Amino acid sequence: MTPKVSIIMGSTSDLPVMKEAAEILNEFHIPFEINALSAHRTPDEVEKFSKGAYDKGIRVIIAGAGMAAHLAGVISSMTPLPVIGVPIKASLDGLDALLAMVQMPPGIPVATVAINGARNAGILAVQILAVDNKELYEKLLAFKQDLKKKIVKANEELNLVKYEFRVTK
Amino acid sequence: MTPKVSIIMGSTSDLPVMKEAAEILNEFHIPFEINALSAHRTPDEVEKFSKGAYDKGIRVIIAGAGMAAHLAGVISSMTPLPVIGVPIKASLDGLDALLAMVQMPPGIPVATVAINGARNAGILAVQILAVDNKELYEKLLAFKQDLKKKIVKANEELNLVKYEFRVTK
Amino acid sequence: MTPKVSIIMGSTSDLPVMKEAAEILNEFHIPFEINALSAHRTPDEVEKFSKGAYDKGIRVIIAGAGMAAHLAGVISSMTPLPVIGVPIKASLDGLDALLAMVQMPPGIPVATVAINGARNAGILAVQILAVDNKELYEKLLAFKQDLKKKIVKANEELNLVKYEFRVTK
Amino acid sequence: MTPKVSIIMGSTSDLPVMKEAAEILNEFHIPFEINALSAHRTPDEVEKFSKGAYDKGIRVIIAGAGMAAHLAGVISSMTPLPVIGVPIKASLDGLDALLAMVQMPPGIPVATVAINGARNAGILAVQILAVDNKELYEKLLAFKQDLKKKIVKANEELNLVKYEFRVTK
Amino acid sequence: MTPKVSIIMGSTSDLPVMKEAAEILNEFHIPFEINALSAHRTPDEVEKFSKGAYDKGIRVIIAGAGMAAHLAGVISSMTPLPVIGVPIKASLDGLDALLAMVQMPPGIPVATVAINGARNAGILAVQILAVDNKELYEKLLAFKQDLKKKIVKANEELNLVKYEFRVTK
Amino acid sequence: MTPKVSIIMGSTSDLPVMKEAAEILNEFHIPFEINALSAHRTPDEVEKFSKGAYDKGIRVIIAGAGMAAHLAGVISSMTPLPVIGVPIKASLDGLDALLAMVQMPPGIPVATVAINGARNAGILAVQILAVDNKELYEKLLAFKQDLKKKIVKANEELNLVKYEFRVTK
Amino acid sequence: MTPKVSIIMGSTSDLPVMKEAAEILNEFHIPFEINALSAHRTPDEVEKFSKGAYDKGIRVIIAGAGMAAHLAGVISSMTPLPVIGVPIKASLDGLDALLAMVQMPPGIPVATVAINGARNAGILAVQILAVDNKELYEKLLAFKQDLKKKIVKANEELNLVKYEFRVTK
Amino acid sequence: MTPKVSIIMGSTSDLPVMKEAAEILNEFHIPFEINALSAHRTPDEVEKFSKGAYDKGIRVIIAGAGMAAHLAGVISSMTPLPVIGVPIKASLDGLDALLAMVQMPPGIPVATVAINGARNAGILAVQILAVDNKELYEKLLAFKQDLKKKIVKANEELNLVKYEFRVTK
């Protein structure tokens, strides 16, 4: 099995956030790999990974990092694959990581999701892979239906909260 | 010719920013469409567009908006296509638009680029389309080489600035 | 009993905040409904609700959401009823939700209250309903008197704290 | 003719922003008054105005101010009428005025709109007055249709911009 | 004993912060009073207090409040006495209260200290009273000496922490 | 004539802002001095000034500086005189200077006014000097009356702006 | 043994952060001293220290402080030695300390590291001392190798986390 | 002549800011080089430069970049030389570049100066080179004297501004 998505995190301490990306990929049966590689502490490994990713079958990269979060941008500078960035909250409520990821200069995009938004990073990776995969696209449609069902169900429970002047259907 | 990318902007006043996305798509010979549709002023048109986009051949959507920039998120809520968001600077230096785009809740990602970063939105769209298109991927590799050449050339001009203690190669 | 105010929240996890709006409406004997509807996960339900609200008797809508909080704006885009927005603190201390709610473009207002300020959202709804209801207006005057009495009473307790150089009346 | 809406601004220098509220009220044929009253420089006049507003027929108050913008909150503390706040950009991009208006403590709401968003303040005032005025409500529905037509028309002009790979309908 | 300083807080919940101002005044033997008065919930009491303060002997006012903290500014608008503002951290890390206090328009100053900086508010009140009171001025000089002694003493304890390459005097 | 107030600015480029403090002092006939002294470039002069200020008759110090604005805090560390800080907008909209001035640690207060708020710094200095000077206090009362008259007069001009549905008194 | 690096902190409460600088210096066998000196509470001691540091053999100064963090700038104003600033998180998530340290005016630099980044301050001090010390430079190269090894090792443990669709090497 | 300092900028458009670093090095007769190298557009060149810098005689690196400013951090990850970062104002008033530079994770410091603070970056480079160069250290002492003289001279001109109640020496 060849991985199609590569999840990279700047430090293994980012795993509690980044595993949500892994879970979504698993749910959609997308083969993936996860590794910890630091733009700052293992620059050579990051370079080797980035330059070789396409040829080993990777089609989307998800990179999570905190503080002055350069990882996604550095990878994007070395490969034309789409790179999804997950800013991780480690200081300043994650605003530093968000700005350090999203404010990339012209030429080198990073597809940034919310602070700690690894779950959405996983979904976005699936959406990208679905661009030429109708079956995956239909799974995503079903996934959207599920999101809806969950909130409709939660609403039913909410309807159990009573107030004298509350009107329920 | 069927458009593969759809560029949507919240107001025609966003055109000076958003046309940079169009220019990149043109440069890569990707058929695209551009329209102004507002999440707030034309919600029905946004819905119709979002739900029909896949079937008419669209594979990536680029949405630009300013202030409380909901456009990209609203579109993403109605289609599983990848949606790239361009926060447009209209107030608060664009910070409001950035946060209103990138901070999406779990389930509905927006691939956000820099404030006014429409050029990168265009490149990201090409990168996504290249996921199963080797020819496009190789054009992107060549494009990266060009970026490099431009800065190497600019550096040569920079080397003409003289200071007594400056050492030039 | 027909509800006059509709409280909508983006997720049932917002209930601990949003119930303060319900409590105020209850206190003023205003019939209301509460539901969880997500701009992003149930866009069709939000549309159906917004377009039908006036005809089923709703006169004010209170919408609470966090992060890239689009709910209030999306509802406001689909109905001319006054929409009160409650930004909910879920990340970045609630600043993202505040900006995503209050910074609406011209044409589509959201009457935004403080971060987590659902109690004030409820009071504002009563104030709006009192515009042509003198009895309700007088209840609001009495309510303001109560606010005053509470702080006057609290001050009496404060006067029990002793310091050698403190002068008390 | 008795005014139903009162527009108050902290300084006559706020007129270029606040006149957009006046223009909307004029468009909807709502009788209104405009005055400059400062929470800080004319506190007694603000008090007199606030306490007497209801009895002279005012039903909605729009208050605009910049910097440490207390005007709307101070008025709201003295009347149960709905008070719409317009934060005016005078320093710090208007963030100071926004926070000083919207972050009201429980009990005293201010219905805050966007920084410099006086046009939306005017529309919100009309929405509030329409709560028991079906004719006004229908004018608002028509107004929303006009917003839509304008963007549809603007889009037609946008379609005249040509790129080789642009697809137009 | 006539109070010379009046400490006002917007809510008795601010006491844990504001009591530090009381403690300093006590330490300097300055007669003072403390009361809870809210700009928003008891505007008439605030007005009565502000207009009568000078005549009952008050010479400096210390006002603490959180969120859209108008209290200090409202008092300052009604008396020419110096008003010291203490922004209290209740939301947004206290940044809202800081901006709502310090960004006063020309004509009505508030002498703002740090977020939750009630101790410094007390010291500043003493400094103001010392302007024509040499004895108090000399107590302040001695107080500054004490601050120094405390840090010199703390440094001695710090010198007990050992590292192999640490050099101690 | 002995100066009672000393205006210090970090750089002569701050004069356009700081002269508003001078103008107010002039208007109130308070003898003052103005000098440029930098906490960073002339630390010895700042020390000499701070330690000698009281003895040469200075009773209030006004210090204006931009960026990492240490001037007011450094002076306050060396004298028990009240020090009023004026954060000057030189970068980051003046937010850096505001925080560097107002967030003083316990023991060393700086009475901070608004960004570029030198006029209020001057008024605050007069208010402090009026603590034991009834004549000055009464001048301040008259000054407040003038502020009111100006806005009442400005309002009259505002009343000349016509709209069909505007009601004027 | 003469200390080459001096670690200064504004308060002994900063020790839990600042000791990380000490630990790095210890690890590199650099003789150092640590003291608590406050720019605001012990200005004379700060001056004496700063002016005498070079002559007693100090070559790099590390200064940590929170809030309106002037310590590093004040020291830098009094010595041409390189001063490394560590902004300490005490309020506003440390943003106030960061801006008060890094935004120094031209002429007086502070080499600022991350909020609470004392470990990096220590490493930077070693890097500066290595400018003319090849042996130290080589230790730093080895130190960088260690950083890499740690993350490679952590990655191995990360590879033990199993998902059905995870591909491991 | 071998360069001892290398000035790198992310884009030649940064030259108007970065040339201030060059001017200071020139003033101190320090041989230096300037080049434009982008972390994102020329990653291989940045790597080659960083790894070879020490051996060709470079002892300090100054790196300036804007937006998601990774340049300084990327260089620091590849060399143990001290790297001085200059955040350049290109968007968000430079706050994005500041955070992306200064908030480096443990192990890889960047000595960050003020936004657009290239002059201070140059001075800091000289201070670092002076660590083992007494002559350079003494030039820095003289430079500090000059800073002082300039402000003393500017103050003389300031003394020419007349106000009736101004006291001049």
Side-chain angles (χ1 to χ4, degrees):
Chain A
M1 200 164 54
T2 305
K4 298 203 103 178
V5 178
S6 190
I7 300 173
I8 308 287
M9 65 195 82
S11 155
T12 50
S13 66
D14 299 334
L15 187 62
V17 169
M18 295 307 291
K19 74 183 161 63
E20 295 191 34
E23 286 162 4
I24 272 285
L25 295 173
N26 219 41
E27 200 177 321
F28 277 92
H29 297 195
I30 309 285
F32 64 98
E33 57 175 29
I34 322 178
N35 288 290
L37 285 182
S38 161
H40 300 119
R41 284 169 285 194
T42 60
D44 296 338
E45 283 62 28
V46 169
E47 183 188 350
K48 198 177 133 194
F49 161 75
S50 304
K51 293 188 172 167
Y54 186 85
D55 286 341
K56 76 177 190 193
I58 299 297
R59 287 301 171 265
V60 184
I61 295 167
I62 297 173
M67 298 183 74
H70 302 179
L71 183 61
V74 163
I75 294 173
S76 183
S77 75
M78 298 186 195
T79 173
L81 287 172
V83 178
I84 300 170
V86 183
I88 290 182
K89 178 175 169 170
S91 56
L92 288 172
D93 264 348
L95 189 65
D96 48 1
L98 170 58
L99 296 179
M101 274 202 171
V102 80
Q103 288 292 83
M104 291 293 292
I108 314 289
V110 167
T112 307
V113 295
I115 295 166
N116 280 7
R119 190 172 162 80
N120 271 354
I123 297 170
L124 184 57
V126 180
Q127 290 178 323
I128 290 171
L129 292 175
V131 156
D132 278 305
N133 181 332
K134 186 116 202 220
E135 193 189 329
L136 203 50
Y137 181 81
E138 272 156 17
K139 275 194 195 169
L140 280 163
L141 279 175
F143 175 81
K144 271 180 141 28
Q145 284 304 309
D146 276 355
L147 285 179
K148 179 182 155 175
K149 276 178 206 155
K150 271 176 213 150
I151 196 167
V152 170
K153 186 138 185 292
N155 196 20
E156 281 162 22
E157 285 158 34
L158 181 64
N159 270 286
L160 304 178
V161 183
K162 298 288 175 214
Y163 295 93
E164 193 185 350
F165 286 87
R166 177 168 185 182
V167 184
T168 48
K169 279 167 285 195
Chain B
M1 199 165 55
T2 305
K4 299 203 104 178
V5 177
S6 189
I7 301 173
I8 308 288
M9 65 196 81
S11 155
T12 49
S13 66
D14 300 334
L15 186 63
V17 170
M18 295 306 292
K19 74 183 162 62
E20 294 190 35
E23 286 162 2
I24 271 285
L25 294 173
N26 219 42
E27 200 177 323
F28 276 92
H29 297 193
I30 310 284
F32 63 98
E33 58 176 30
I34 321 178
N35 288 290
L37 286 182
S38 161
H40 300 118
R41 284 169 287 195
T42 60
D44 297 338
E45 283 63 29
V46 169
E47 182 187 350
K48 198 177 135 195
F49 161 75
S50 303
K51 292 188 173 167
Y54 185 85
D55 287 340
K56 75 178 191 194
I58 299 297
R59 287 299 172 266
V60 183
I61 295 166
I62 297 172
M67 300 183 74
H70 302 179
L71 183 61
V74 164
I75 294 173
S76 183
S77 74
M78 299 186 193
T79 173
L81 287 173
V83 178
I84 300 169
V86 184
I88 290 181
K89 178 176 171 171
S91 54
L92 287 172
D93 264 348
L95 189 66
D96 47 1
L98 171 58
L99 295 179
M101 274 202 171
V102 79
Q103 287 292 82
M104 290 296 290
I108 314 290
V110 168
T112 307
V113 294
I115 296 167
N116 281 7
R119 189 172 164 81
N120 272 355
I123 297 169
L124 183 56
V126 179
Q127 290 178 323
I128 290 171
L129 293 174
V131 156
D132 277 307
N133 182 332
K134 186 120 201 218
E135 193 188 330
L136 203 50
Y137 180 80
E138 272 157 16
K139 274 194 197 172
L140 280 162
L141 278 175
F143 175 81
K144 271 181 141 31
Q145 285 304 310
D146 276 355
L147 286 178
K148 179 183 155 176
K149 276 180 205 154
K150 271 177 211 149
I151 196 167
V152 169
K153 185 137 185 294
N155 196 20
E156 281 163 20
E157 285 158 33
L158 180 64
N159 270 287
L160 304 178
V161 183
K162 298 287 174 215
Y163 296 93
E164 194 185 350
F165 286 87
R166 178 171 184 177
V167 183
T168 48
K169 280 167 286 194
Chain C
M1 200 164 53
T2 306
K4 299 205 102 178
V5 177
S6 190
I7 301 173
I8 308 288
M9 64 196 82
S11 156
T12 50
S13 66
D14 300 333
L15 187 63
V17 170
M18 295 307 291
K19 75 183 160 62
E20 295 191 35
E23 286 162 3
I24 272 285
L25 295 172
N26 219 42
E27 199 177 324
F28 277 92
H29 297 194
I30 309 284
F32 65 97
E33 57 175 31
I34 321 179
N35 289 289
L37 286 181
S38 162
H40 300 120
R41 284 168 287 194
T42 60
D44 296 339
E45 283 63 29
V46 169
E47 182 187 351
K48 197 177 136 195
F49 161 74
S50 304
K51 292 188 172 167
Y54 186 85
D55 287 340
K56 75 178 191 193
I58 299 297
R59 288 299 172 266
V60 183
I61 296 165
I62 297 173
M67 299 183 74
H70 302 180
L71 184 61
V74 163
I75 294 173
S76 184
S77 75
M78 299 186 194
T79 172
L81 286 173
V83 178
I84 300 170
V86 183
I88 290 181
K89 178 175 168 171
S91 55
L92 288 172
D93 263 349
L95 190 65
D96 47 2
L98 171 57
L99 295 179
M101 275 202 171
V102 80
Q103 288 292 81
M104 292 294 291
I108 314 291
V110 167
T112 307
V113 295
I115 296 166
N116 280 9
R119 190 171 162 80
N120 272 355
I123 297 170
L124 184 56
V126 180
Q127 289 178 323
I128 290 172
L129 293 174
V131 156
D132 278 305
N133 181 333
K134 186 120 202 217
E135 194 189 328
L136 203 51
Y137 181 80
E138 271 156 17
K139 274 194 196 171
L140 280 162
L141 278 175
F143 175 82
K144 271 181 138 33
Q145 285 304 309
D146 276 355
L147 286 178
K148 179 182 154 176
K149 276 179 205 153
K150 271 177 212 150
I151 196 166
V152 169
K153 186 139 183 295
N155 196 20
E156 281 163 20
E157 285 158 34
L158 180 64
N159 270 285
L160 304 178
V161 183
K162 298 287 174 215
Y163 296 93
E164 193 185 350
F165 287 88
R166 178 170 184 180
V167 183
T168 49
K169 280 167 284 194
Chain D
M1 199 163 57
T2 304
K4 298 203 105 180
V5 178
S6 189
I7 301 173
I8 308 287
M9 66 196 81
S11 155
T12 50
S13 66
D14 299 334
L15 187 63
V17 169
M18 295 307 291
K19 75 182 160 64
E20 295 190 35
E23 286 162 4
I24 272 286
L25 295 173
N26 219 42
E27 201 177 323
F28 277 92
H29 296 195
I30 310 284
F32 64 98
E33 56 176 30
I34 322 178
N35 288 290
L37 286 182
S38 161
H40 300 118
R41 284 169 285 194
T42 60
D44 296 338
E45 283 62 30
V46 168
E47 182 188 351
K48 199 177 134 195
F49 161 75
S50 304
K51 292 187 173 169
Y54 185 85
D55 286 340
K56 76 177 191 194
I58 299 298
R59 287 300 171 267
V60 183
I61 295 166
I62 297 172
M67 301 183 73
H70 301 179
L71 183 61
V74 164
I75 294 173
S76 183
S77 75
M78 299 186 195
T79 173
L81 287 173
V83 178
I84 300 169
V86 183
I88 290 181
K89 178 176 170 170
S91 54
L92 287 172
D93 264 348
L95 189 66
D96 47 1
L98 171 58
L99 296 179
M101 275 203 171
V102 80
Q103 288 292 82
M104 291 294 291
I108 313 290
V110 167
T112 307
V113 295
I115 296 167
N116 281 8
R119 189 172 163 81
N120 272 355
I123 297 169
L124 183 56
V126 179
Q127 290 178 323
I128 290 171
L129 293 175
V131 156
D132 277 307
N133 182 332
K134 185 118 202 218
E135 193 189 329
L136 202 52
Y137 180 81
E138 272 156 17
K139 273 194 196 172
L140 280 163
L141 279 175
F143 175 81
K144 271 182 141 29
Q145 285 304 310
D146 276 355
L147 285 178
K148 179 183 155 175
K149 276 179 206 156
K150 271 177 212 149
I151 196 167
V152 170
K153 185 138 187 291
N155 196 19
E156 281 162 22
E157 284 159 33
L158 181 63
N159 270 286
L160 305 178
V161 183
K162 299 287 174 213
Y163 295 93
E164 194 185 351
F165 285 87
R166 177 170 184 179
V167 183
T168 48
K169 280 167 285 194
Chain E
M1 200 164 56
T2 305
K4 298 203 104 178
V5 177
S6 189
I7 300 173
I8 308 287
M9 65 196 80
S11 155
T12 50
S13 65
D14 300 333
L15 187 63
V17 170
M18 295 307 291
K19 74 183 160 65
E20 295 190 36
E23 286 162 4
I24 271 286
L25 295 173
N26 220 40
E27 200 176 324
F28 277 92
H29 297 193
I30 309 284
F32 64 98
E33 56 176 30
I34 321 179
N35 288 290
L37 285 182
S38 161
H40 300 119
R41 284 168 286 194
T42 60
D44 297 338
E45 282 63 29
V46 169
E47 183 187 350
K48 198 177 134 194
F49 161 74
S50 303
K51 292 187 173 169
Y54 185 85
D55 287 341
K56 75 178 191 192
I58 299 297
R59 288 300 173 265
V60 183
I61 295 166
I62 297 173
M67 301 184 72
H70 302 181
L71 184 60
V74 164
I75 294 173
S76 184
S77 75
M78 299 185 194
T79 173
L81 286 173
V83 178
I84 299 170
V86 183
I88 290 181
K89 177 175 169 171
S91 55
L92 288 172
D93 264 348
L95 190 66
D96 47 1
L98 171 58
L99 296 179
M101 274 202 171
V102 80
Q103 288 292 81
M104 293 293 291
I108 314 290
V110 167
T112 307
V113 295
I115 295 167
N116 281 9
R119 191 172 162 79
N120 272 354
I123 298 170
L124 183 56
V126 180
Q127 289 177 323
I128 290 171
L129 293 174
V131 157
D132 278 305
N133 181 333
K134 186 119 204 217
E135 193 189 326
L136 203 52
Y137 180 81
E138 271 155 19
K139 275 194 196 170
L140 280 162
L141 279 175
F143 175 81
K144 272 182 139 32
Q145 285 303 309
D146 276 355
L147 286 178
K148 179 182 154 176
K149 277 179 205 155
K150 272 178 211 148
I151 196 166
V152 169
K153 187 139 183 292
N155 196 21
E156 281 163 21
E157 285 158 34
L158 180 63
N159 270 285
L160 303 178
V161 183
K162 298 286 174 214
Y163 296 93
E164 194 185 351
F165 286 87
R166 177 169 185 181
V167 183
T168 47
K169 281 167 286 194
Chain F
M1 200 163 57
T2 305
K4 298 203 105 178
V5 178
S6 189
I7 301 173
I8 308 287
M9 64 196 82
S11 154
T12 50
S13 66
D14 300 334
L15 187 63
V17 170
M18 296 306 291
K19 74 184 161 62
E20 295 190 35
E23 286 161 4
I24 272 285
L25 295 173
N26 219 41
E27 200 177 322
F28 277 92
H29 296 195
I30 309 284
F32 64 98
E33 57 175 31
I34 321 177
N35 288 290
L37 285 183
S38 161
H40 300 119
R41 284 169 285 194
T42 60
D44 297 338
E45 282 63 30
V46 168
E47 183 187 352
K48 197 177 135 195
F49 161 74
S50 304
K51 293 188 172 168
Y54 185 85
D55 287 340
K56 75 177 192 194
I58 299 296
R59 286 301 172 265
V60 183
I61 295 166
I62 297 172
M67 300 183 74
H70 302 178
L71 183 62
V74 164
I75 295 174
S76 183
S77 75
M78 299 186 195
T79 173
L81 287 173
V83 177
I84 300 170
V86 182
I88 290 181
K89 177 175 170 171
S91 55
L92 288 171
D93 264 348
L95 190 66
D96 47 1
L98 171 58
L99 296 179
M101 275 204 171
V102 79
Q103 288 292 84
M104 291 294 291
I108 314 290
V110 167
T112 307
V113 295
I115 296 167
N116 280 9
R119 189 171 164 80
N120 272 354
I123 297 170
L124 184 56
V126 179
Q127 289 179 323
I128 291 171
L129 293 174
V131 157
D132 277 306
N133 181 333
K134 186 119 203 216
E135 194 189 327
L136 203 50
Y137 180 81
E138 271 156 17
K139 273 194 195 169
L140 280 162
L141 278 175
F143 175 82
K144 271 180 139 33
Q145 284 304 309
D146 276 355
L147 286 178
K148 178 181 155 176
K149 276 180 205 154
K150 271 178 211 149
I151 196 167
V152 169
K153 186 137 184 293
N155 196 21
E156 281 162 21
E157 284 158 33
L158 181 63
N159 270 285
L160 304 178
V161 183
K162 299 288 174 210
Y163 295 94
E164 194 185 351
F165 286 86
R166 177 170 185 182
V167 183
T168 48
K169 280 167 285 193
Chain G
M1 199 163 56
T2 305
K4 297 203 104 178
V5 177
S6 188
I7 301 173
I8 308 288
M9 65 196 80
S11 155
T12 50
S13 65
D14 300 333
L15 187 63
V17 170
M18 295 307 292
K19 73 183 162 65
E20 296 190 34
E23 286 162 4
I24 272 286
L25 295 173
N26 219 40
E27 200 177 322
F28 276 93
H29 297 194
I30 309 284
F32 64 99
E33 57 176 30
I34 321 179
N35 288 290
L37 285 183
S38 161
H40 300 117
R41 284 168 287 194
T42 59
D44 296 338
E45 281 64 28
V46 169
E47 182 186 352
K48 199 177 133 194
F49 161 74
S50 304
K51 293 188 172 168
Y54 186 84
D55 287 341
K56 75 178 190 193
I58 300 297
R59 288 299 172 265
V60 183
I61 295 166
I62 297 174
M67 300 184 73
H70 303 179
L71 183 62
V74 163
I75 294 173
S76 184
S77 75
M78 299 186 195
T79 173
L81 287 173
V83 178
I84 300 170
V86 183
I88 290 181
K89 177 175 169 171
S91 56
L92 288 172
D93 264 347
L95 190 65
D96 48 1
L98 171 58
L99 295 179
M101 275 203 171
V102 79
Q103 288 291 82
M104 291 295 290
I108 313 290
V110 167
T112 307
V113 295
I115 296 167
N116 281 7
R119 190 171 162 80
N120 272 354
I123 297 169
L124 183 56
V126 179
Q127 289 178 324
I128 290 171
L129 292 174
V131 157
D132 278 305
N133 181 333
K134 186 117 203 218
E135 193 189 328
L136 203 51
Y137 180 81
E138 271 156 17
K139 275 194 195 170
L140 280 163
L141 278 175
F143 175 81
K144 271 181 139 31
Q145 284 305 309
D146 276 355
L147 285 179
K148 178 182 156 177
K149 276 179 206 156
K150 272 178 211 147
I151 197 166
V152 169
K153 184 137 186 293
N155 196 21
E156 280 163 22
E157 285 158 33
L158 181 63
N159 270 287
L160 304 178
V161 183
K162 298 289 175 213
Y163 296 94
E164 194 185 350
F165 286 88
R166 179 169 183 180
V167 183
T168 48
K169 281 167 284 195
Chain H
M1 201 165 55
T2 304
K4 299 203 103 177
V5 178
S6 188
I7 300 173
I8 307 288
M9 65 195 82
S11 155
T12 50
S13 66
D14 300 333
L15 187 62
V17 170
M18 295 307 291
K19 74 182 161 64
E20 295 191 33
E23 285 162 4
I24 272 286
L25 295 173
N26 218 44
E27 200 177 322
F28 277 92
H29 297 195
I30 310 284
F32 63 98
E33 58 177 29
I34 321 178
N35 288 291
L37 285 182
S38 161
H40 300 119
R41 283 169 286 195
T42 59
D44 297 338
E45 282 64 27
V46 168
E47 183 187 351
K48 197 176 134 195
F49 161 74
S50 304
K51 293 187 174 170
Y54 186 84
D55 287 340
K56 75 177 190 195
I58 299 297
R59 287 300 172 265
V60 183
I61 295 167
I62 297 172
M67 300 183 73
H70 302 179
L71 183 61
V74 164
I75 294 173
S76 183
S77 75
M78 299 185 194
T79 173
L81 286 173
V83 177
I84 300 170
V86 183
I88 290 181
K89 177 175 171 172
S91 55
L92 288 173
D93 264 349
L95 189 66
D96 47 2
L98 171 58
L99 296 179
M101 275 203 172
V102 79
Q103 288 291 83
M104 292 293 291
I108 314 291
V110 167
T112 307
V113 294
I115 296 167
N116 280 8
R119 189 171 164 80
N120 272 355
I123 297 170
L124 184 56
V126 179
Q127 290 178 323
I128 291 172
L129 293 174
V131 157
D132 277 306
N133 181 333
K134 185 118 203 219
E135 192 188 328
L136 203 51
Y137 180 80
E138 272 156 17
K139 274 193 196 170
L140 280 162
L141 279 175
F143 175 81
K144 271 181 140 34
Q145 285 304 310
D146 275 355
L147 286 178
K148 179 182 155 176
K149 275 179 206 155
K150 271 177 211 149
I151 197 166
V152 169
K153 186 137 184 292
N155 196 20
E156 280 163 22
E157 285 158 33
L158 180 64
N159 270 285
L160 304 177
V161 183
K162 298 288 175 213
Y163 296 94
E164 194 185 350
F165 285 86
R166 177 169 185 182
V167 183
T168 48
K169 282 167 282 192

